[in-house]
């Protein structure tokens, strides 16, 4: 598709509409909302990783001058169990218990009470007056500990799903899943060579720059307004309503600009607390996490433990792939085990595979989505072992992947048949890339890895209003994280045939936008973009009707080209083309303003494939790894705004490199996090990174009018293995646990 | 229609959705918007009523510490002449010159410069540093003076329209209009009795409680956001864009709650100035008029001079009506002469009429719309003389009107044929009303008068979004002045069959609402209501489709009743009715969220007729008139929320009583207003008013699905004459000039 179509606006790189406000500091983020009479809410957090709350006494803090409200779990309504739906999944009862502990604290940092005071300083000070009696329990801090027979149990009412129909004992294993195809034993029998290893990844955080922040104000009639930084304000509305037993239509959520989310801002933490404090105090309540709270109490990505086994013929053809995967869910069930299992072997055609996965609770913060949730951990294991396989076979690692790469018509491991996909194209680009072939120096190494993410569709709404001068307003409901205002404007401009500069995109609040799922799942440009295109087509249809009425022609005698209504070829009409601006100026006389709308539950999200090439230099004396080159190649289907696709590729690489080399939650034996700050939890900074080269492959997604497939998540999937494979190449030893920190690398070198 | 239909929600009196915020002080009005770094703009106003600006020097003020910007007319772009359209009409060039004088000042209070400073106090102080050189001209302060042969001319380029094709001399008469039917001379020949008189009304102000206020912020990319108190934010956008030569889509206007408008907030005064000051200073600029500025520089209603002559047979049948009308436009052309002329004789069937009208400029602020613009002045003249006619004929004044009342099928004086109207019904109600028949005491008097306003339709847009729990968001673009959120919610609830409490109405800004004309012309409940009903019907149509798909039926086999999809009678389907909530919950599986929309240019606004009964007691010693009883009877077509219709009737009566008895602009000989404040310009306060009795007549408007006709403006039309006729009844003398202030009444009593 993409090769055949000449686009006028799509594929160009105009300035983003939100750019000026963001670079000048005018843009409002979560903490920038303020109201007269506003007070400040802060949370008292558990000092213990695992304990029973025997008593909470708020009486003293409530007496303090300047304290307007104090609440604990008892002040919230009971919330019954029920699925939250959406990308994050999860259960409303768990959500409520995570927002404010009831009876038990499950991690160091778990919220147990909150106060609102005249100033934030006073509120923080006042926390000391809250008396909590705990009965301390053993903390369960690792997968091994949690899955051990004699493990302390986090939730006595939790029984493993997916094993026994009627399990007898409670367990920290929330559920077990299994995917399989073919005959796994036969597959390994057919193999000329079998490789096997196990891999571990740590708990890591998304590391968004902007902490969670909100401002809530509820009036005496029970109508609440909430400003917050979120990836999905409709989800915030639904979750807050559920946790507070309010009606959806009594909560208006206004999304701020968002200083990064990466999946972590799909979850509600403070918002219902702020509403409740506002209700009690009668004042607007602002709550802003500090960085320590973000680390200790917002959702990181699952730590994982994966055992993989791969069998192949001597020509590289895979015959069998199997794995055992366990993912940490944190304090409440619901890790990324399912999508991890959906991704791990999906890039490869293999007749026989077996995947077993476990969702395991531990005394850490409940995990949240992190960019392609589960896929980086899963594919780190698969792609590391594929690298070992190539080494054993003495095959080029890209060639090994080309031999086995999935393509159009192949059934994906997780079910559906692939439409046109660009995996092979990415591998071919990588093979030819100068960054793959240039010579390396002593102590340097190169690694490659493939990435995969299935992408999602979900529900989106869009409206298009034509101003009286013909300029275009696009109203949609996805917070703009990666430049979606620009991409929506480009798609609307392309569809309507009007200049990009004449299209303005509004990210509307829950009152003004039609229901729209979260900015996540790499769905926005695909699904919301499709809604925008359809809403623009609705406008074209009306514009043609107006032109037909003006010209006294039938509707089907009018065509739309380059932003103008024209008579269809062959229609004999002595008329001038009518521009959208002319039609808009006359719309009062032809039936009123032009309003377009579309809503959908998008199907056919095109899967995203990538290939990364990492080049590293390892200092054998210090164990420090420098990434000296990084090349991200990815199939975007069609890059609506190529600069922002490149930005996604580069950002995903940066985060993946951090995950590979440095990032991890460090806990002491009591379950207390030791590095809850950016000084000790080390994400890459600019000087840690090379220029990240990008190459966009475009194999159009046939389910989208302009060929779009999601690009936001795939970029973080391959870097973990690519970097690990490069380090292996540089030091000659395979390290099977992330991060590849200097101490661990040094240990491995010394061990070898 | 209304008698035949049983409504479930329409006609009830639920609490208004905006009520809680308004009574608790939470609601944000124009001056409540604040931004970080905000500075304050104030305007330097002309001390002269008529002068040439020879020079403005801003150099000194610009040097003052804390002054961020200073502008005069030269800093604005040239604006070419062009009609503004909409209810207000007017010309963009005049608008620009009214916002900031160019070359000439035309009234005391005319803006000549503006500064923005750190504080409002500093800005006010800084005005003294602006040097303006004036050449003072003779002020033209009355219609008589303006129309005199040797009058000083306000605008040398203005030549009277509608008289000579090529007028030779400039004039203060902007235009002459003429309406006629039949043979006026023959009509008077057929009369048994002829009455004749002339009447004058003063310049009066709408007296809204909230002064004009706005906050503007423009970014470095040229995108402006404007918060303001207005009746029509789309008009503010259009006017500001025009005056500043900006693109519409670069201005976002967010309407605040509005503390009264009555037509006066359809005009832009400070908004473009604030945007320009913001552009120069790089900061948000707030501008709030004080009351003095509101009086001196915002638009009052036209002062008028009307000569009327009526001929009738001895049975009361009218044979001829003629009038000569002159209305003050203020400093720029465009008085309410046209609607005044459209209304003056319209309540009566008369074969022969002649109306001549003049639009005249004087050195006073440019007039603005004031509730049924022109009609109160015009019908004060007509209805006073009708009262005299009834006296001469010794007929009951209501009976005289019943003999001549227009009814369905009669051609209105201004053109169209009436559909069903409720004028006769109002007269009949009045005749039977106990307030018409109860005995009066010595010194008391009773007067009646009819009121008429044609009402308008114009363009409206509405969108309806269904939340995932089935609750309903209605998005529209009319600032809610008289309870329109409640009436829109009632109409949406009635149409959809869902409870009123489950419907929320959003007054959206220019980015989020579809293009919608001003809240004015008594059009909102009629036209925007119709758009809301149609958008709700769009939802019903989609809900039926979803139900049909769920049930595997054809669309036309599904009906909608009481908020549920059900199989059509006769369709054999074993299914349970599907509520809107159920359909909404499933909408993800049936095609995505439910979004409805409608736009229109409404036709068929039903004319509004009223009859008022005023009872007064006049103190013959002081000349003070007390209104001791007031009864407002009006045809609402269908009262969607009767309490707010009653509120309109009462509010119109209160304003009309003020206009009749006390209100007037008082100027000295130099054209300086002497009473620019609520202490000296006396609007009625609660203790001045009796309980105003109301009676709603409902003769359905056939052009509206629920029978609605506008109710907002008609209530102010009849009170002037009703009170004047009551005073005539009480004192036995006819006073032909308003206000009937104590001094004027005393003078008349003494003269008689």
């Amino acid at each position: 598709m993409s090769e055949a179509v000449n686009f006028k606006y799509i594929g160009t790189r105009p300035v983003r509409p939100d750019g000026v406000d963001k670079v000048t500091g005018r843009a409002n983020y979560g903490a920038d909302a303020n109201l007269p009479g506003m007070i400040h809410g802060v949370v008292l957090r558990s000092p213990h990783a695992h304990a029973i709350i025997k008593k909470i006494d708020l009486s003293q803090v409530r007496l303090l001058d300047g304290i307007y409200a104090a609440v604990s779990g008892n002040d919230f309504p009971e919330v019954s169990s029920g699925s939250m739906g959406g990308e994050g999944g999860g259960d409303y009862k768990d959500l409520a218990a995570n927002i404010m502990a009831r009876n038990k604290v499950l991690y160091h940092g778990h919220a147990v009470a909150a106060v609102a005071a005249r100033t934030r300083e006073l509120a923080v000070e006042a926390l000391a007056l809250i008396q909590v009696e705990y009965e301390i329990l053993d903390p369960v801090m690792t997968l091994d500990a949690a899955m051990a027979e004699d493990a302390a149990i986090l939730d006595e009412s939790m029984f493993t799903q997916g094993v026994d129909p009627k399990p007898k004992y409670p367990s920290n294993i929330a559920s077990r899943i299994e995917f399989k195809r073919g005959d796994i034993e036969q597959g390994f029998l057919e193999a000329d060579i079998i490789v096997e290893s196990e891999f571990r990844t740590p708990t890591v955080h998304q590391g968004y720059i902007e902490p969670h922040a909100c401002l809530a104000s509820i009036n005496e009639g029970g109508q609440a307004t909430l400003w917050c930084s979120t990836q999905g304000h409709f989800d915030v509305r639904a979750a807050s309503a559920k946790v507070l037993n309010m009606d959806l239509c009594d909560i208006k959520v206004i999304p701020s600009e968002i200083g990064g989310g990466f999946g972590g801002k799909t979850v509600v933490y403070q918002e219902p607390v702020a509403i409740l404090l506002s209700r009690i105090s009668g004042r607007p309540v602002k709550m802003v996490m500090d960085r320590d709270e973000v680390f200790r109490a917002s959702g990181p990505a699952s730590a994982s433990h994966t055992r993989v086994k791969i069998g192949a013929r001597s020509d590289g053809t895979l015959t069998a792939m199997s794995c055992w995967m366990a993912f940490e869910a944190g304090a409440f069930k619901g890790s990324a085990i399912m999508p991890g299992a959906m991704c791990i072997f999906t890039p490869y055609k293999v007749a026989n595979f077996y995947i077993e996965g476990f969702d395991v609770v531990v005394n850490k913060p409940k995990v949240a989505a992190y960019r392609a949730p589960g896929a980086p951990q899963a594919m780190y294991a698969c792609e590391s072992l594929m690298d070992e396989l190539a080494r054993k076979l003495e095959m080029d690692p890209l060639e090994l992947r080309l031999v086995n790469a999935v393509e159009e018509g192949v059934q994906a491991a997780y079910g559906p048949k692939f439409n046109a996909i660009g995996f092979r194209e990415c591998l071919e680009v990588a093979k030819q890339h100068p960054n793959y072939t240039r010579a390396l120096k002593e102590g340097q190494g190169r690694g490659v890895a493939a990435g995969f993410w299935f992408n999602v569709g979900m529900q989106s709404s869009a409206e298009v209003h034509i101003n009286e001068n013909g300029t275009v307003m696009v109203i949609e409901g996805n917070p703009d994280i990666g430049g979606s205002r620009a991409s929506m404007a480009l798609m609307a401009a392309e569809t309507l045939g009007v200049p990009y500069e004449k299209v303005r995109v509004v990210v509307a609040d829950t009152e003004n936008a039609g229901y729209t799922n979260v900015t996540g799942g790499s769905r926005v440009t695909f699904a919301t973009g499709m809604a925008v295109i359809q809403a623009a087509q609705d406008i074209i249809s009306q514009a043609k009707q107006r032109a037909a009425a003006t010209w006294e022609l039938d509707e089907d005698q009018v065509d739309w080209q380059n932003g103008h209504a024209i008579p269809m070829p062959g229609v004999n009409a002595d008329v001038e083309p009518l521009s959208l601006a002319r039609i808009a100026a006359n719309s009062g006389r032809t039936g009123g303003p032009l309003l377009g709308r579309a809503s959908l539950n998008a199907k056919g999200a095109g899967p995203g494939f990538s290939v990364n090439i990492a080049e590293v230099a390892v200092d054998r004396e210090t164990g420090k790894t420098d990434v000296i080159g990084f090349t991200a190649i990815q199939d975007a289907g069609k890059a609506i705004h190529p600069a922002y696709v490149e930005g996604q590729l580069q950002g995903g690489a940066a985060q993946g490199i951090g995950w590979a080399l440095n990032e991890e939650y460090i806990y002491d034996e009591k379950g207390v996090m030791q590095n809850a700050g950016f000084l000790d939890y080390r994400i890459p900074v600019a000087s840690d990174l090379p220029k990240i080269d990008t190459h966009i492959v475009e194999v159009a997604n046939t389910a989208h009018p302009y060929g779009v497939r999601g690009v936001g998540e795939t970029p973080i999937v391959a870097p973990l293995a690519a970097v690990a494979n490069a380090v292996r190449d540089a030091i000659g030893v395979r390290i099977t646990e992330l991060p590849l920190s200097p101490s661990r690398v040094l240990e491995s070198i010394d061990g070898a």
Side-chain angles (χ1 to χ4, degrees), chain A:
Chain A
M1 181 173 178
S2 59
E3 46 285 320
V5 179
N6 275 321
F7 292 114
K8 189 162 177 187
Y9 303 106
I10 286 175
T12 63
R13 297 165 179 253
V15 170
R16 62 196 288 170
D18 48 319
V20 169
D21 279 356
K22 284 179 176 164
V23 299
T24 58
R26 289 178 175 277
N28 284 317
Y29 289 85
D32 292 328
N34 293 291
L35 284 178
M38 181 176 82
I39 59 176
H40 299 266
V42 299
V43 170
L44 178 70
R45 298 187 181 279
S46 168
H48 309 298
H50 196 190
I52 292 164
I53 301 172
K54 301 190 73 174
K55 194 178 157 193
I56 299 186
D57 182 357
L58 298 170
S59 56
Q60 270 192 273
V61 76
R62 283 179 174 145
L63 291 174
L64 194 67
D65 186 46
I67 298 291
Y68 292 91
V71 297
S72 69
N74 297 331
D75 298 294
F76 287 78
E78 278 298 309
V79 175
S80 53
S81 200
S83 168
M84 290 167 62
E87 202 202 5
D91 184 285
Y92 278 120
K93 188 179 178 186
D94 292 344
L95 177 77
N98 192 39
I99 286 168
M100 196 59 69
R102 327 275 164 118
N103 310 320
K104 211 173 173 187
V105 291
L106 293 168
Y107 55 95
H108 177 253
H110 198 160
V112 294
V115 301
R118 202 169 42 231
T119 65
R120 184 177 166 88
E121 292 66 28
L122 178 61
V124 170
E125 213 176 296
L127 294 181
L129 296 179
I130 300 174
Q131 321 265 311
V132 191
E133 263 180 54
Y134 294 101
E135 178 187 333
I136 298 172
L137 305 174
D138 284 342
V140 179
M141 300 308 296
T142 65
L143 286 165
D144 293 343
M147 297 174 88
E149 292 256 327
D150 60 348
I153 296 296
L154 272 69
D155 179 357
E156 294 287 342
S157 73
M158 193 168 83
F159 295 81
T160 307
Q161 303 298 307
V163 188
D164 296 329
K166 287 193 177 178
K168 289 194 194 67
Y169 305 103
S171 165
N172 291 325
I173 302 173
S175 62
R176 174 188 176 277
I177 58 171
E178 188 184 273
F179 291 161
K180 56 188 171 184
R181 186 187 296 163
D183 181 334
I184 189 69
E185 289 180 18
Q186 181 61 31
F188 282 115
L189 288 177
E190 288 168 14
D192 299 321
I193 181 170
I194 292 175
V195 288
E196 193 168 3
S197 190
E198 63 183 302
F199 301 90
R200 291 177 190 265
T201 67
T203 302
V204 297
H205 196 272
Q206 300 84 353
Y208 34 82
I209 298 304
E210 182 200 24
H212 297 264
C214 69
L215 170 62
S217 181
I218 184 165
N219 75 5
E220 291 72 7
Q223 295 158 318
T225 305
L226 192 58
W227 291 257
C228 64
S229 176
T230 176
Q231 292 176 240
H233 40 305
F234 287 91
D235 287 349
V236 173
R237 183 176 70 165
S240 300
K242 193 81 182 180
V243 169
L244 296 170
N245 195 22
M246 290 173 67
D247 192 319
L248 282 178
C249 65
D250 281 329
I251 304 179
K252 171 183 184 174
V253 183
I254 305 171
S256 68
E257 297 299 335
I258 174 168
F262 310 109
K265 289 199 184 137
T266 58
V267 186
V268 164
Y269 299 103
Q270 305 175 117
E271 288 80 356
V273 182
I275 293 175
L276 183 58
L277 292 169
S278 177
R279 187 193 289 156
I280 294 168
S281 63
R283 287 164 172 266
V285 175
K286 181 185 261 196
M287 296 185 77
V288 182
M289 285 193 187
D290 60 25
R291 182 61 57 185
D292 179 271
E293 291 178 286
V294 171
F295 273 109
R296 291 190 202 273
S298 74
S302 294
S304 72
H305 180 194
T306 305
R307 302 187 191 109
V308 199
K309 186 175 167 186
I310 302 177
R313 297 189 207 281
S314 51
D315 65 356
T317 315
L318 299 176
T319 61
M321 303 179 95
S322 78
C323 70
W324 175 101
M325 310 167 78
F327 273 38
E328 287 182 6
F332 301 95
K333 64 180 178 287
S335 69
I337 187 65
M338 177 64 84
M342 285 167 69
C343 291
I344 187 163
F345 298 143
T346 297
Y348 304 113
K349 290 182 285 195
V350 60
N352 312 293
F353 66 77
Y354 180 85
I355 301 164
E356 185 180 26
F358 296 90
D359 180 34
V360 184
V361 296
V362 295
N363 290 122
K364 295 185 183 175
K366 166 76 170 75
V367 301
Y370 179 14
R371 214 170 180 169
Q377 300 97 315
M379 295 211 60
Y380 158 64
C382 173
E383 291 294 286
S384 293
L385 197 60
M386 284 292 281
D387 195 66
E388 288 303 310
L389 179 61
R391 285 180 183 280
K392 290 261 166 76
L393 290 166
E394 294 181 356
M395 259 182 100
D396 176 285
L398 292 173
E399 192 55 38
L400 172 64
R401 288 169 174 87
L402 269 168
V403 167
N404 296 289
V406 290
E407 58 203 346
E408 186 171 356
V410 172
Q411 192 187 7
Y414 61 93
K417 271 198 179 148
F418 287 115
N419 287 325
I421 50 174
F423 186 30
R424 298 189 70 87
E425 287 77 357
C426 290
L427 289 163
E428 296 287 1
V429 167
K431 265 182 76 176
Q432 308 302 325
H433 204 287
N435 293 359
Y436 187 60
T437 50
R438 65 182 168 190
L440 294 176
K441 294 184 190 153
E442 176 66 27
Q444 299 183 341
R446 175 181 290 122
V448 298
F452 165 73
W453 181 246
F454 44 84
N455 295 323
V456 304
M458 303 173 77
Q459 296 188 70
S460 288
S461 301
E463 284 155 332
V464 174
H465 298 166
I466 307 301
N467 291 324
E468 65 267 36
N469 69 345
T471 52
V472 179
M473 310 304 297
V474 174
I475 296 102
E476 46 101 354
N478 279 117
D480 179 358
I481 304 184
S484 56
R485 287 186 185 88
S487 63
M488 298 303 149
L490 284 165
M491 287 185 274
E494 190 73 45
T495 307
L496 291 167
V498 301
Y500 170 82
E501 293 73 21
K502 298 299 179 187
V503 181
R504 301 303 160 90
V505 179
V506 181
V507 177
D509 59 42
T510 53
E511 280 191 351
N512 284 292
Y515 182 78
T516 296
N517 281 127
V518 69
T519 297
S522 302
R523 60 176 292 280
V524 176
T525 315
F526 169 68
T528 304
M530 197 138 61
V532 168
I533 293 164
Q534 289 179 11
Q537 286 164 339
D538 189 15
I539 290 291
I540 291 172
S541 152
Q542 294 172 45
K544 284 161 63 181
Q545 283 169 23
R546 306 297 178 96
T550 305
W551 293 334
E552 298 180 350
L553 293 176
D554 290 337
E555 261 174 72
D556 58 7
Q557 294 181 302
V558 179
D559 199 4
W560 189 260
Q561 275 185 23
N562 292 319
H564 290 72
I566 55 169
M568 278 281 185
V571 172
N572 197 356
D574 184 20
V575 295
E576 289 293 307
L578 280 175
S579 67
L580 186 58
R582 283 274 302 280
I583 292 168
N586 288 328
S587 63
R589 282 188 287 278
T590 56
L594 297 175
L595 307 184
R597 57 112 167 75
S599 71
L600 44 78
N601 191 345
K603 308 295 175 204
F609 286 91
S610 67
V611 175
N612 287 179
I613 306 165
E615 294 160 285
V616 302
V618 180
D619 183 324
R620 297 183 67 93
E621 303 223 342
T622 63
K624 177 166 186 284
T625 300
D626 285 320
V627 179
I628 56 171
F630 200 95
T631 310
I633 300 152
Q634 187 173 320
D635 174 19
K638 176 67 203 175
I640 299 297
H641 192 307
Y644 303 145
V645 174
E646 291 162 3
Q648 291 283 4
L649 270 52
Q650 291 167 325
Q655 287 188 309
I657 289 167
W659 199 336
L661 292 180
N662 288 300
E663 298 181 34
E664 63 178 319
Y665 275 39
I666 299 168
Y667 284 93
D668 71 10
E669 70 287 351
K670 290 183 175 164
V672 174
M673 189 177 176
Q674 301 297 298
N675 61 336
F678 277 144
L679 279 177
D680 298 316
Y681 180 97
R682 194 156 183 289
I683 64 172
V685 297
S687 57
D688 291 322
L689 295 169
K691 175 178 182 307
I692 294 163
D693 292 315
T694 59
H695 185 104
I696 301 171
V697 168
E698 293 187 330
V699 175
N701 173 15
T702 52
H704 186 279
Y706 298 131
V708 168
R709 62 183 78 234
V711 297
E713 288 168 292
T714 303
I716 202 177
V717 180
L720 281 64
V723 170
N725 293 342
V727 171
R728 161 67 185 81
D729 192 44
I731 66 174
V733 188
R734 170 67 61 181
I735 306 172
T736 61
E737 184 168 1
L738 299 183
L740 305 176
S741 53
S743 59
R744 186 167 282 147
V745 169
L746 209 53
E747 210 171 90
S748 298
I749 291 171
D750 292 350

